[in-house]
């Protein structure tokens, strides 16, 4: 794909779904590549976040892989294998598994989650480079309205 400049009229006629799809793939790919360079995967980070009582877990209780898949259903990708990803984290000592198959975050896993989270601002900064907050907020509001226009409610 070339990086050609479209006129205002050409852009106004473009299908939003095409561009949001391209943006989604580019942003996810970029984020996952940066995380891989740092030695972890996005699903591993999500597992730690969803099991941490200091992050997304409402109670810090252990969860099974199917329970985690359900909790992540809004953002997990079809190719994400939470069973395999959780095994890596068990081997690292960041998660443990109890006799009922529930995964639990360890103290080392919590320390890793906090450390991994420190990389998020740099990734965000790179993605947002050259975009002021007002333009970013406008773009999100436009997308939210398009979602409402299709009969859904933006979360």
């Amino acid at each position: 794909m070339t990086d050609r400049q479209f006129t205002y009229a050409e852009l106004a006629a473009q299908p939003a779904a095409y561009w949001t799809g391209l943006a989604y793939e580019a942003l996810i790919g970029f984020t996952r590549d940066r995380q891989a360079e740092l030695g972890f995967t996005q699903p591993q980070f999500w597992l730690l976040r969803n099991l941490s009582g200091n992050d997304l877990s409402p109670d810090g209780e252990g969860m099974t892989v199917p329970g985690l898949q359900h909790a992540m259903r809004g953002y997990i990708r079809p190719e994400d294998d939470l069973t395999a990803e959780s095994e890596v984290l068990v081997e690292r000592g960041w998660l443990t598994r109890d006799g009922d198959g529930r995964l639990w975050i360890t103290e080392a896993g919590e320390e890793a989650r906090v450390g991994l989270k420190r990389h998020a601002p740099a990734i965000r900064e790179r993605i947002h480079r050259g975009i002021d907050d007002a333009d970013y907020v406008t773009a999100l509001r436009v997308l939210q309205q398009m979602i409402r226009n299709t009969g859904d409610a933006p979360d």
Side-chain angles (χ1 to χ4, degrees):
M1 179 178 166
T2 62
D3 191 17
R4 95 172 183 78
Q5 296 296 312
F6 292 93
T7 67
Y8 186 91
E10 288 173 325
L11 281 174
Q14 292 285 312
Y18 171 76
W19 289 102
T20 57
L22 285 180
Y24 174 77
E25 292 301 328
L27 296 171
I28 291 295
F30 177 83
T31 300
R32 288 181 174 218
D33 287 348
R34 298 301 73 75
Q35 291 171 329
E37 290 169 0
L38 297 164
F40 67 99
T41 68
Q42 193 172 50
Q44 290 169 358
F45 185 51
W46 289 337
L47 285 164
L48 295 172
R49 292 192 68 201
N50 277 274
L51 291 167
S52 173
N54 297 313
D55 202 332
L56 296 177
S57 173
D59 55 16
E61 293 294 312
M63 295 177 71
T64 62
V65 169
L68 287 158
Q69 288 170 324
H70 180 75
M72 297 182 209
R73 70 190 176 282
Y75 48 89
I76 195 167
R77 292 175 57 102
E79 67 269 20
D80 294 339
D81 182 346
L82 294 187
T83 299
E85 299 286 3
S86 67
E87 287 305 318
V88 171
L89 298 180
V90 169
E91 289 171 15
R92 288 183 184 171
W94 295 358
L95 297 180
T96 59
R97 180 174 283 107
D98 67 19
D100 294 324
R102 288 185 310 262
L103 294 163
W104 297 80
I105 193 167
T106 64
E107 188 174 316
E110 181 62 19
E111 290 173 14
R113 181 196 65 80
V114 170
L116 299 175
K117 190 173 182 176
R118 287 190 190 118
H119 298 290
I123 294 170
R124 182 189 189 282
E125 186 280 324
R126 174 81 183 274
I127 291 170
H128 287 242
R129 192 174 296 159
I131 303 167
D132 67 43
D133 286 346
D135 287 341
Y136 180 71
V137 169
T138 297
L140 293 183
R141 286 184 175 153
V142 167
L143 292 172
Q144 289 172 339
Q145 185 60 48
M146 287 180 170
I147 293 167
R148 283 189 290 275
N149 290 348
T150 64
D152 270 333
D155 290 335

